[in-house]
Amino acid sequence: MLKKLDPLLHSELRLAIMSLLISVEKAEFTFIKEKTEATAGNLSVQVTKLENAEYINVEKGYKGKIPQTICAITKKGIEAFEKYVEDLKDYLKL
Amino acid sequence: MLKKLDPLLHSELRLAIMSLLISVEKAEFTFIKEKTEATAGNLSVQVTKLENAEYINVEKGYKGKIPQTICAITKKGIEAFEKYVEDLKDYLKL
DNA sequence: TTAATTTGGTTTATAATATAAACTAGTTTA
DNA sequence: TAAACTAGTTTATATTATAAACCAAATTAA
C-alpha cells in the first residue's frame, strides 16, 4: 500500500529548499532564493514552515551591515527527507 | 537547475492514480477507490482533472445494471508520468 | 409494494496551501 | 537628502485539495 507522503515535503519549493540543503548543509537565504528562483516572500513563508517543523534551523545575523539569514538542515530534516524519498519511490516505481 | 514539476502529477492522489494505472493499464473506478483509500468525491474530481489533461481516458458503461467507470492511462499520460519521475529524481538526488 | 439501504458516482462548499503583492527596515548611490 | 537597492516579513488573494451533500438506480427488508 502506498504510504501517505509528508505534506511538508510534498511541496515543490519546500522540497527544492530541502534538496539544496541536503547537498550543502547550510546556505544563505539569498543563495537559496537564487537557486530556487523563488520570490523572497514565498521563500520566507516556506522557510518558516520548515523551521517550525524543525526540519531546518534558521539563524539571523549580519554580513557586515547587511542582514543575513542562514538556513541549515537538521538531523530531523535529513531523516524526514530520506523517509519522503523512500515513500515516493513506491509511487514512482523506483 | 531543478525543473518545474508537472502540477497535475505533483498531487498525492493523482500521482497514486497514475501510479496504479501505470501498472495495470486500466482499472475500474471502484478498484482505484479501494486501492487509494480516497473518498469517491475526491477521486471523481481528480479523475476528471486527469481526463481533461488527456493523461487518462474514462469510459462510463455498465456492469450488468450497475454503472461502471473504467479509467485507462494514455500514451500522453505515460509520457507525462515518466517525465515527472525524471524531473523528481533531481530533487530526490536519485 | 413501498420504504430504507447500498452502490456508484457527481457537484458544490469549505478548508488548506501556495503565491504574489505590499510593506518594513536599513544601506548605498547620485 | 532623496531615490533606489538589499534582505527580508506580513498579509491578501488565487489555487488546490478535500469532504460533505447530493443524485439516480438497484437491492433488500418490512
Side-chain angles (χ1 to χ4, degrees):
Chain A
M1 188 59 63
L2 295 169
K3 290 180 194 93
K4 172 109 184 71
L5 299 173
D6 183 342
L8 234 108
L9 294 182
H10 198 65
S11 139
E12 185 161 1
L13 181 49
R14 285 195 302 271
L15 189 62
I17 296 166
M18 292 294 283
S19 179
L20 211 168
L21 290 177
I22 279 279
S23 301
V24 302
E25 193 185 347
K26 61 169 59 184
E28 287 178 37
F29 184 95
T30 53
F31 178 77
I32 300 173
K33 180 171 176 295
E34 277 167 35
K35 284 290 177 183
T36 60
E37 294 176 7
T39 61
N42 193 8
L43 185 56
S44 179
V45 169
Q46 307 311 329
V47 160
T48 300
K49 285 184 186 175
L50 291 171
E51 188 188 14
N52 289 341
E54 298 179 321
Y55 285 4
I56 65 176
N57 60 57
V58 177
E59 274 177 62
K60 286 151 210 276
Y62 284 87
K63 181 168 58 178
K65 291 175 179 174
I66 292 172
Q68 178 184 235
T69 298
I70 292 178
C71 301
I73 198 163
T74 62
K75 188 160 177 294
K76 190 172 174 183
I78 293 169
E79 285 164 5
F81 185 85
E82 285 171 353
K83 177 170 193 319
Y84 175 77
V85 172
E86 288 311 308
D87 291 347
L88 242 193
K89 278 185 180 171
D90 295 338
Y91 287 79
L92 307 181
K93 311 286 180 189
L94 296 175
Chain B
M1 188 57 62
L2 295 170
K3 291 180 193 92
K4 172 109 184 71
L5 299 174
D6 183 342
L8 235 108
L9 294 182
H10 198 65
S11 138
E12 185 161 1
L13 181 50
R14 284 195 301 272
L15 189 62
I17 296 166
M18 293 294 282
S19 179
L20 210 169
L21 290 177
I22 279 280
S23 301
V24 300
E25 194 186 345
K26 61 168 59 184
E28 288 179 35
F29 184 94
T30 52
F31 178 77
I32 300 173
K33 181 171 175 292
E34 277 166 36
K35 284 290 177 185
T36 59
E37 294 177 4
T39 61
N42 192 9
L43 185 57
S44 179
V45 170
Q46 306 313 328
V47 159
T48 300
K49 285 185 187 175
L50 292 170
E51 187 187 15
N52 290 341
E54 297 178 323
Y55 285 4
I56 66 176
N57 58 57
V58 176
E59 275 178 61
K60 283 152 212 278
Y62 284 88
K63 182 168 59 176
K65 292 174 177 173
I66 291 171
Q68 177 183 235
T69 299
I70 292 177
C71 301
I73 198 161
T74 62
K75 188 160 176 297
K76 190 172 175 185
I78 293 170
E79 285 164 5
F81 184 85
E82 284 170 354
K83 178 171 192 317
Y84 176 76
V85 172
E86 287 311 308
D87 291 348
L88 241 193
K89 278 185 180 172
D90 295 338
Y91 286 79
L92 306 182
K93 312 288 182 187
L94 296 174

mmCIF file of all heavy atoms in Angstrom, chain B residues 5-49:
data_model
loop_
_atom_site.group_PDB
_atom_site.id
_atom_site.type_symbol
_atom_site.label_atom_id
_atom_site.label_comp_id
_atom_site.label_asym_id
_atom_site.label_seq_id
_atom_site.Cartn_x
_atom_site.Cartn_y
_atom_site.Cartn_z
ATOM 1 N N LEU B 5 8.036 20.976 -11.696
ATOM 2 C CA LEU B 5 7.301 19.706 -11.671
ATOM 3 C C LEU B 5 5.892 19.892 -12.208
ATOM 4 O O LEU B 5 5.213 20.863 -11.881
ATOM 5 C CB LEU B 5 7.227 19.179 -10.241
ATOM 6 C CG LEU B 5 8.564 18.873 -9.563
ATOM 7 C CD1 LEU B 5 8.349 18.498 -8.114
ATOM 8 C CD2 LEU B 5 9.318 17.785 -10.300
ATOM 9 N N ASP B 6 5.465 18.946 -13.020
ATOM 10 C CA ASP B 6 4.108 18.951 -13.567
ATOM 11 C C ASP B 6 3.093 19.017 -12.419
ATOM 12 O O ASP B 6 2.960 18.072 -11.651
ATOM 13 C CB ASP B 6 3.920 17.658 -14.379
ATOM 14 C CG ASP B 6 2.567 17.569 -15.061
ATOM 15 O OD1 ASP B 6 1.644 18.307 -14.663
ATOM 16 O OD2 ASP B 6 2.434 16.757 -15.991
ATOM 17 N N PRO B 7 2.393 20.139 -12.305
ATOM 18 C CA PRO B 7 1.491 20.300 -11.150
ATOM 19 C C PRO B 7 0.341 19.299 -11.147
ATOM 20 O O PRO B 7 -0.208 18.990 -10.099
ATOM 21 C CB PRO B 7 0.971 21.740 -11.283
ATOM 22 C CG PRO B 7 1.231 22.144 -12.689
ATOM 23 C CD PRO B 7 2.365 21.309 -13.196
ATOM 24 N N LEU B 8 0.017 18.787 -12.315
ATOM 25 C CA LEU B 8 -1.056 17.803 -12.389
ATOM 26 C C LEU B 8 -0.648 16.486 -11.750
ATOM 27 O O LEU B 8 -1.475 15.747 -11.224
ATOM 28 C CB LEU B 8 -1.439 17.559 -13.841
ATOM 29 C CG LEU B 8 -2.924 17.790 -14.010
ATOM 30 C CD1 LEU B 8 -3.179 19.048 -14.765
ATOM 31 C CD2 LEU B 8 -3.577 16.600 -14.597
ATOM 32 N N LEU B 9 0.628 16.203 -11.817
ATOM 33 C CA LEU B 9 1.098 14.946 -11.227
ATOM 34 C C LEU B 9 1.611 15.131 -9.810
ATOM 35 O O LEU B 9 1.646 14.188 -9.036
ATOM 36 C CB LEU B 9 2.184 14.322 -12.114
ATOM 37 C CG LEU B 9 1.668 13.859 -13.475
ATOM 38 C CD1 LEU B 9 2.783 13.220 -14.277
ATOM 39 C CD2 LEU B 9 0.506 12.887 -13.325
ATOM 40 N N HIS B 10 1.982 16.362 -9.495
ATOM 41 C CA HIS B 10 2.511 16.600 -8.151
ATOM 42 C C HIS B 10 1.371 16.787 -7.154
ATOM 43 O O HIS B 10 1.205 17.835 -6.554
ATOM 44 C CB HIS B 10 3.449 17.793 -8.146
ATOM 45 C CG HIS B 10 4.327 17.826 -6.936
ATOM 46 N ND1 HIS B 10 5.269 16.855 -6.684
ATOM 47 C CD2 HIS B 10 4.397 18.670 -5.891
ATOM 48 C CE1 HIS B 10 5.874 17.127 -5.556
ATOM 49 N NE2 HIS B 10 5.366 18.222 -5.043
ATOM 50 N N SER B 11 0.576 15.768 -7.022
ATOM 51 C CA SER B 11 -0.559 15.729 -6.109
ATOM 52 C C SER B 11 -0.664 14.288 -5.655
ATOM 53 O O SER B 11 -0.644 13.373 -6.488
ATOM 54 C CB SER B 11 -1.822 16.155 -6.845
ATOM 55 O OG SER B 11 -2.914 15.329 -6.495
ATOM 56 N N GLU B 12 -0.731 14.099 -4.371
ATOM 57 C CA GLU B 12 -0.631 12.735 -3.840
ATOM 58 C C GLU B 12 -1.653 11.789 -4.465
ATOM 59 O O GLU B 12 -1.288 10.709 -4.934
ATOM 60 C CB GLU B 12 -0.797 12.761 -2.321
ATOM 61 C CG GLU B 12 -0.574 11.402 -1.699
ATOM 62 C CD GLU B 12 -0.281 11.492 -0.211
ATOM 63 O OE1 GLU B 12 -0.267 12.598 0.359
ATOM 64 O OE2 GLU B 12 -0.064 10.428 0.383
ATOM 65 N N LEU B 13 -2.918 12.208 -4.496
ATOM 66 C CA LEU B 13 -3.938 11.294 -5.008
ATOM 67 C C LEU B 13 -3.807 11.081 -6.512
ATOM 68 O O LEU B 13 -3.876 9.952 -6.999
ATOM 69 C CB LEU B 13 -5.344 11.796 -4.648
ATOM 70 C CG LEU B 13 -6.495 10.909 -5.125
ATOM 71 C CD1 LEU B 13 -6.300 9.442 -4.756
ATOM 72 C CD2 LEU B 13 -7.820 11.418 -4.564
ATOM 73 N N ARG B 14 -3.589 12.159 -7.269
ATOM 74 C CA ARG B 14 -3.465 11.984 -8.713
ATOM 75 C C ARG B 14 -2.245 11.134 -9.054
ATOM 76 O O ARG B 14 -2.283 10.305 -9.962
ATOM 77 C CB ARG B 14 -3.403 13.339 -9.423
ATOM 78 C CG ARG B 14 -4.775 14.019 -9.497
ATOM 79 C CD ARG B 14 -4.793 15.156 -10.489
ATOM 80 N NE ARG B 14 -3.829 16.190 -10.194
ATOM 81 C CZ ARG B 14 -4.043 17.231 -9.396
ATOM 82 N NH1 ARG B 14 -5.211 17.403 -8.814
ATOM 83 N NH2 ARG B 14 -3.100 18.110 -9.186
ATOM 84 N N LEU B 15 -1.168 11.325 -8.298
ATOM 85 C CA LEU B 15 0.024 10.513 -8.530
ATOM 86 C C LEU B 15 -0.259 9.049 -8.214
ATOM 87 O O LEU B 15 0.174 8.154 -8.951
ATOM 88 C CB LEU B 15 1.185 11.032 -7.679
ATOM 89 C CG LEU B 15 2.546 10.408 -7.972
ATOM 90 C CD1 LEU B 15 3.000 10.694 -9.391
ATOM 91 C CD2 LEU B 15 3.592 10.908 -6.974
ATOM 92 N N ALA B 16 -1.016 8.797 -7.167
ATOM 93 C CA ALA B 16 -1.380 7.419 -6.809
ATOM 94 C C ALA B 16 -2.229 6.789 -7.907
ATOM 95 O O ALA B 16 -2.020 5.625 -8.274
ATOM 96 C CB ALA B 16 -2.125 7.413 -5.475
ATOM 97 N N ILE B 17 -3.155 7.544 -8.442
ATOM 98 C CA ILE B 17 -3.995 7.046 -9.539
ATOM 99 C C ILE B 17 -3.121 6.664 -10.731
ATOM 100 O O ILE B 17 -3.235 5.574 -11.298
ATOM 101 C CB ILE B 17 -5.021 8.119 -9.981
ATOM 102 C CG1 ILE B 17 -6.009 8.440 -8.857
ATOM 103 C CG2 ILE B 17 -5.761 7.670 -11.240
ATOM 104 C CD1 ILE B 17 -6.830 9.715 -9.082
ATOM 105 N N MET B 18 -2.242 7.572 -11.091
ATOM 106 C CA MET B 18 -1.381 7.338 -12.252
ATOM 107 C C MET B 18 -0.431 6.173 -12.000
ATOM 108 O O MET B 18 -0.180 5.359 -12.888
ATOM 109 C CB MET B 18 -0.592 8.602 -12.578
ATOM 110 C CG MET B 18 -1.434 9.752 -13.076
ATOM 111 S SD MET B 18 -2.192 9.432 -14.686
ATOM 112 C CE MET B 18 -0.766 9.708 -15.766
ATOM 113 N N SER B 19 0.079 6.083 -10.801
ATOM 114 C CA SER B 19 0.991 5.009 -10.436
ATOM 115 C C SER B 19 0.296 3.666 -10.579
ATOM 116 O O SER B 19 0.859 2.702 -11.126
ATOM 117 C CB SER B 19 1.442 5.228 -8.994
ATOM 118 O OG SER B 19 2.305 4.196 -8.583
ATOM 119 N N LEU B 20 -0.951 3.629 -10.132
ATOM 120 C CA LEU B 20 -1.734 2.406 -10.252
ATOM 121 C C LEU B 20 -1.975 2.061 -11.721
ATOM 122 O O LEU B 20 -1.774 0.919 -12.149
ATOM 123 C CB LEU B 20 -3.067 2.630 -9.531
ATOM 124 C CG LEU B 20 -3.747 1.435 -8.897
ATOM 125 C CD1 LEU B 20 -4.886 1.918 -8.009
ATOM 126 C CD2 LEU B 20 -4.271 0.453 -9.913
ATOM 127 N N LEU B 21 -2.382 3.065 -12.485
ATOM 128 C CA LEU B 21 -2.717 2.816 -13.890
ATOM 129 C C LEU B 21 -1.488 2.479 -14.730
ATOM 130 O O LEU B 21 -1.590 1.787 -15.741
ATOM 131 C CB LEU B 21 -3.474 4.006 -14.480
ATOM 132 C CG LEU B 21 -4.907 4.197 -13.942
ATOM 133 C CD1 LEU B 21 -5.535 5.444 -14.529
ATOM 134 C CD2 LEU B 21 -5.771 2.976 -14.229
ATOM 135 N N ILE B 22 -0.334 2.974 -14.308
ATOM 136 C CA ILE B 22 0.912 2.592 -14.989
ATOM 137 C C ILE B 22 1.097 1.079 -14.877
ATOM 138 O O ILE B 22 1.508 0.414 -15.828
ATOM 139 C CB ILE B 22 2.126 3.331 -14.352
ATOM 140 C CG1 ILE B 22 2.261 4.742 -14.882
ATOM 141 C CG2 ILE B 22 3.419 2.553 -14.559
ATOM 142 C CD1 ILE B 22 2.913 4.880 -16.234
ATOM 143 N N SER B 23 0.762 0.534 -13.753
ATOM 144 C CA SER B 23 0.939 -0.906 -13.526
ATOM 145 C C SER B 23 -0.104 -1.750 -14.244
ATOM 146 O O SER B 23 0.218 -2.773 -14.837
ATOM 147 C CB SER B 23 0.848 -1.227 -12.033
ATOM 148 O OG SER B 23 1.831 -0.527 -11.323
ATOM 149 N N VAL B 24 -1.370 -1.313 -14.147
ATOM 150 C CA VAL B 24 -2.435 -2.200 -14.619
ATOM 151 C C VAL B 24 -3.049 -1.781 -15.950
ATOM 152 O O VAL B 24 -3.899 -2.480 -16.477
ATOM 153 C CB VAL B 24 -3.563 -2.325 -13.567
ATOM 154 C CG1 VAL B 24 -3.003 -2.885 -12.262
ATOM 155 C CG2 VAL B 24 -4.268 -1.006 -13.344
ATOM 156 N N GLU B 25 -2.650 -0.602 -16.416
ATOM 157 C CA GLU B 25 -3.128 -0.064 -17.698
ATOM 158 C C GLU B 25 -4.557 0.466 -17.627
ATOM 159 O O GLU B 25 -4.816 1.600 -17.985
ATOM 160 C CB GLU B 25 -2.996 -1.080 -18.828
ATOM 161 C CG GLU B 25 -3.164 -0.428 -20.181
ATOM 162 C CD GLU B 25 -3.181 -1.446 -21.326
ATOM 163 O OE1 GLU B 25 -2.778 -2.618 -21.122
ATOM 164 O OE2 GLU B 25 -3.607 -1.049 -22.411
ATOM 165 N N LYS B 26 -5.487 -0.380 -17.172
ATOM 166 C CA LYS B 26 -6.847 0.117 -16.961
ATOM 167 C C LYS B 26 -7.452 -0.472 -15.701
ATOM 168 O O LYS B 26 -7.091 -1.574 -15.284
ATOM 169 C CB LYS B 26 -7.740 -0.146 -18.169
ATOM 170 C CG LYS B 26 -7.933 -1.595 -18.546
ATOM 171 C CD LYS B 26 -9.051 -1.759 -19.566
ATOM 172 C CE LYS B 26 -8.816 -0.994 -20.868
ATOM 173 N NZ LYS B 26 -9.960 -1.092 -21.791
ATOM 174 N N ALA B 27 -8.346 0.294 -15.091
ATOM 175 C CA ALA B 27 -8.939 -0.159 -13.835
ATOM 176 C C ALA B 27 -10.283 0.507 -13.609
ATOM 177 O O ALA B 27 -10.525 1.621 -14.087
ATOM 178 C CB ALA B 27 -8.005 0.152 -12.675
ATOM 179 N N GLU B 28 -11.148 -0.180 -12.877
ATOM 180 C CA GLU B 28 -12.443 0.394 -12.512
ATOM 181 C C GLU B 28 -12.281 1.491 -11.469
ATOM 182 O O GLU B 28 -11.405 1.421 -10.614
ATOM 183 C CB GLU B 28 -13.348 -0.696 -11.906
ATOM 184 C CG GLU B 28 -13.853 -1.700 -12.911
ATOM 185 C CD GLU B 28 -14.726 -2.754 -12.236
ATOM 186 O OE1 GLU B 28 -15.456 -2.411 -11.287
ATOM 187 O OE2 GLU B 28 -14.656 -3.918 -12.651
ATOM 188 N N PHE B 29 -13.195 2.422 -11.552
ATOM 189 C CA PHE B 29 -13.248 3.499 -10.554
ATOM 190 C C PHE B 29 -13.251 2.933 -9.134
ATOM 191 O O PHE B 29 -12.482 3.381 -8.273
ATOM 192 C CB PHE B 29 -14.511 4.339 -10.797
ATOM 193 C CG PHE B 29 -14.648 5.544 -9.906
ATOM 194 C CD1 PHE B 29 -14.206 6.789 -10.316
ATOM 195 C CD2 PHE B 29 -15.243 5.437 -8.652
ATOM 196 C CE1 PHE B 29 -14.344 7.911 -9.505
ATOM 197 C CE2 PHE B 29 -15.372 6.554 -7.829
ATOM 198 C CZ PHE B 29 -14.932 7.781 -8.260
ATOM 199 N N THR B 30 -14.098 1.959 -8.913
ATOM 200 C CA THR B 30 -14.232 1.401 -7.554
ATOM 201 C C THR B 30 -12.944 0.699 -7.091
ATOM 202 O O THR B 30 -12.604 0.745 -5.914
ATOM 203 C CB THR B 30 -15.387 0.384 -7.497
ATOM 204 O OG1 THR B 30 -15.201 -0.575 -8.540
ATOM 205 C CG2 THR B 30 -16.715 1.078 -7.704
ATOM 206 N N PHE B 31 -12.263 0.097 -8.038
ATOM 207 C CA PHE B 31 -10.984 -0.545 -7.708
ATOM 208 C C PHE B 31 -9.949 0.508 -7.294
ATOM 209 O O PHE B 31 -9.249 0.356 -6.284
ATOM 210 C CB PHE B 31 -10.480 -1.333 -8.926
ATOM 211 C CG PHE B 31 -9.153 -2.001 -8.723
ATOM 212 C CD1 PHE B 31 -9.047 -3.163 -7.982
ATOM 213 C CD2 PHE B 31 -7.994 -1.450 -9.275
ATOM 214 C CE1 PHE B 31 -7.816 -3.781 -7.792
ATOM 215 C CE2 PHE B 31 -6.766 -2.066 -9.091
ATOM 216 C CZ PHE B 31 -6.674 -3.230 -8.348
ATOM 217 N N ILE B 32 -9.891 1.574 -8.064
ATOM 218 C CA ILE B 32 -8.958 2.660 -7.741
ATOM 219 C C ILE B 32 -9.312 3.263 -6.378
ATOM 220 O O ILE B 32 -8.442 3.564 -5.571
ATOM 221 C CB ILE B 32 -8.987 3.755 -8.831
ATOM 222 C CG1 ILE B 32 -8.587 3.163 -10.178
ATOM 223 C CG2 ILE B 32 -8.071 4.917 -8.465
ATOM 224 C CD1 ILE B 32 -8.751 4.122 -11.356
ATOM 225 N N LYS B 33 -10.595 3.389 -6.152
ATOM 226 C CA LYS B 33 -11.066 3.937 -4.879
ATOM 227 C C LYS B 33 -10.583 3.089 -3.693
ATOM 228 O O LYS B 33 -10.078 3.618 -2.704
ATOM 229 C CB LYS B 33 -12.594 4.020 -4.896
ATOM 230 C CG LYS B 33 -13.204 4.602 -3.644
ATOM 231 C CD LYS B 33 -14.700 4.837 -3.847
ATOM 232 C CE LYS B 33 -15.361 5.308 -2.570
ATOM 233 N NZ LYS B 33 -15.390 4.262 -1.529
ATOM 234 N N GLU B 34 -10.708 1.779 -3.838
ATOM 235 C CA GLU B 34 -10.257 0.886 -2.763
ATOM 236 C C GLU B 34 -8.754 0.989 -2.555
ATOM 237 O O GLU B 34 -8.278 1.114 -1.437
ATOM 238 C CB GLU B 34 -10.578 -0.577 -3.106
ATOM 239 C CG GLU B 34 -12.002 -0.987 -2.776
ATOM 240 C CD GLU B 34 -12.363 -2.313 -3.438
ATOM 241 O OE1 GLU B 34 -11.477 -3.200 -3.537
ATOM 242 O OE2 GLU B 34 -13.519 -2.453 -3.889
ATOM 243 N N LYS B 35 -8.025 0.928 -3.640
ATOM 244 C CA LYS B 35 -6.563 0.909 -3.575
ATOM 245 C C LYS B 35 -6.003 2.203 -2.992
ATOM 246 O O LYS B 35 -5.034 2.195 -2.244
ATOM 247 C CB LYS B 35 -5.972 0.688 -4.970
ATOM 248 C CG LYS B 35 -6.073 -0.743 -5.450
ATOM 249 C CD LYS B 35 -5.138 -1.641 -4.661
ATOM 250 C CE LYS B 35 -5.272 -3.102 -5.089
ATOM 251 N NZ LYS B 35 -4.445 -3.983 -4.232
ATOM 252 N N THR B 36 -6.603 3.316 -3.392
ATOM 253 C CA THR B 36 -6.063 4.603 -2.949
ATOM 254 C C THR B 36 -6.672 5.041 -1.622
ATOM 255 O O THR B 36 -6.178 5.975 -0.997
ATOM 256 C CB THR B 36 -6.352 5.703 -3.987
ATOM 257 O OG1 THR B 36 -7.774 5.803 -4.170
ATOM 258 C CG2 THR B 36 -5.696 5.390 -5.319
ATOM 259 N N GLU B 37 -7.759 4.395 -1.225
ATOM 260 C CA GLU B 37 -8.479 4.774 0.008
ATOM 261 C C GLU B 37 -8.982 6.209 -0.044
ATOM 262 O O GLU B 37 -9.126 6.878 0.976
ATOM 263 C CB GLU B 37 -7.608 4.546 1.257
ATOM 264 C CG GLU B 37 -7.307 3.075 1.494
ATOM 265 C CD GLU B 37 -6.394 2.825 2.690
ATOM 266 O OE1 GLU B 37 -6.046 3.791 3.391
ATOM 267 O OE2 GLU B 37 -6.033 1.661 2.917
ATOM 268 N N ALA B 38 -9.248 6.670 -1.235
ATOM 269 C CA ALA B 38 -9.799 8.018 -1.392
ATOM 270 C C ALA B 38 -11.321 7.979 -1.253
ATOM 271 O O ALA B 38 -11.939 6.930 -1.422
ATOM 272 C CB ALA B 38 -9.437 8.563 -2.766
ATOM 273 N N THR B 39 -11.896 9.123 -0.939
ATOM 274 C CA THR B 39 -13.353 9.214 -0.988
ATOM 275 C C THR B 39 -13.767 9.271 -2.455
ATOM 276 O O THR B 39 -12.997 9.688 -3.321
ATOM 277 C CB THR B 39 -13.863 10.490 -0.293
ATOM 278 O OG1 THR B 39 -13.323 11.623 -0.966
ATOM 279 C CG2 THR B 39 -13.462 10.526 1.174
ATOM 280 N N ALA B 40 -15.002 8.851 -2.729
ATOM 281 C CA ALA B 40 -15.494 8.856 -4.107
ATOM 282 C C ALA B 40 -15.475 10.268 -4.686
ATOM 283 O O ALA B 40 -15.105 10.457 -5.849
ATOM 284 C CB ALA B 40 -16.896 8.267 -4.163
ATOM 285 N N GLY B 41 -15.868 11.235 -3.889
ATOM 286 C CA GLY B 41 -15.917 12.623 -4.354
ATOM 287 C C GLY B 41 -14.560 13.134 -4.775
ATOM 288 O O GLY B 41 -14.393 13.677 -5.877
ATOM 289 N N ASN B 42 -13.610 12.958 -3.886
ATOM 290 C CA ASN B 42 -12.250 13.389 -4.188
ATOM 291 C C ASN B 42 -11.718 12.657 -5.427
ATOM 292 O O ASN B 42 -11.178 13.291 -6.342
ATOM 293 C CB ASN B 42 -11.357 13.122 -2.987
ATOM 294 C CG ASN B 42 -10.010 13.804 -3.099
ATOM 295 O OD1 ASN B 42 -9.790 14.609 -3.990
ATOM 296 N ND2 ASN B 42 -9.110 13.474 -2.195
ATOM 297 N N LEU B 43 -11.923 11.360 -5.461
ATOM 298 C CA LEU B 43 -11.452 10.588 -6.605
ATOM 299 C C LEU B 43 -12.091 11.069 -7.906
ATOM 300 O O LEU B 43 -11.409 11.225 -8.922
ATOM 301 C CB LEU B 43 -11.745 9.100 -6.389
ATOM 302 C CG LEU B 43 -11.199 8.156 -7.464
ATOM 303 C CD1 LEU B 43 -9.697 8.310 -7.623
ATOM 304 C CD2 LEU B 43 -11.549 6.704 -7.119
ATOM 305 N N SER B 44 -13.384 11.315 -7.851
ATOM 306 C CA SER B 44 -14.096 11.785 -9.034
ATOM 307 C C SER B 44 -13.488 13.085 -9.571
ATOM 308 O O SER B 44 -13.249 13.226 -10.777
ATOM 309 C CB SER B 44 -15.567 11.999 -8.687
ATOM 310 O OG SER B 44 -16.280 12.481 -9.800
ATOM 311 N N VAL B 45 -13.224 14.006 -8.668
ATOM 312 C CA VAL B 45 -12.618 15.285 -9.066
ATOM 313 C C VAL B 45 -11.251 15.078 -9.706
ATOM 314 O O VAL B 45 -10.969 15.647 -10.768
ATOM 315 C CB VAL B 45 -12.480 16.218 -7.835
ATOM 316 C CG1 VAL B 45 -11.650 17.448 -8.170
ATOM 317 C CG2 VAL B 45 -13.857 16.627 -7.326
ATOM 318 N N GLN B 46 -10.433 14.245 -9.084
ATOM 319 C CA GLN B 46 -9.057 14.080 -9.571
ATOM 320 C C GLN B 46 -9.028 13.298 -10.891
ATOM 321 O O GLN B 46 -8.217 13.587 -11.775
ATOM 322 C CB GLN B 46 -8.169 13.403 -8.521
ATOM 323 C CG GLN B 46 -8.159 14.088 -7.159
ATOM 324 C CD GLN B 46 -7.963 15.581 -7.192
ATOM 325 O OE1 GLN B 46 -7.264 16.105 -8.074
ATOM 326 N NE2 GLN B 46 -8.569 16.295 -6.254
ATOM 327 N N VAL B 47 -9.914 12.335 -11.013
ATOM 328 C CA VAL B 47 -10.019 11.583 -12.269
ATOM 329 C C VAL B 47 -10.410 12.528 -13.404
ATOM 330 O O VAL B 47 -9.855 12.464 -14.509
ATOM 331 C CB VAL B 47 -11.039 10.426 -12.125
ATOM 332 C CG1 VAL B 47 -11.543 9.963 -13.484
ATOM 333 C CG2 VAL B 47 -10.412 9.260 -11.364
ATOM 334 N N THR B 48 -11.344 13.411 -13.120
ATOM 335 C CA THR B 48 -11.767 14.379 -14.141
ATOM 336 C C THR B 48 -10.610 15.280 -14.570
ATOM 337 O O THR B 48 -10.439 15.568 -15.757
ATOM 338 C CB THR B 48 -12.944 15.221 -13.609
ATOM 339 O OG1 THR B 48 -14.026 14.339 -13.304
ATOM 340 C CG2 THR B 48 -13.400 16.245 -14.633
ATOM 341 N N LYS B 49 -9.796 15.698 -13.626
ATOM 342 C CA LYS B 49 -8.643 16.533 -13.974
ATOM 343 C C LYS B 49 -7.664 15.782 -14.862
ATOM 344 O O LYS B 49 -7.146 16.331 -15.840
ATOM 345 C CB LYS B 49 -7.931 17.013 -12.705
ATOM 346 C CG LYS B 49 -8.683 18.116 -11.987
ATOM 347 C CD LYS B 49 -7.909 18.651 -10.802
ATOM 348 C CE LYS B 49 -8.776 19.633 -10.023
ATOM 349 N NZ LYS B 49 -8.112 20.103 -8.791
#
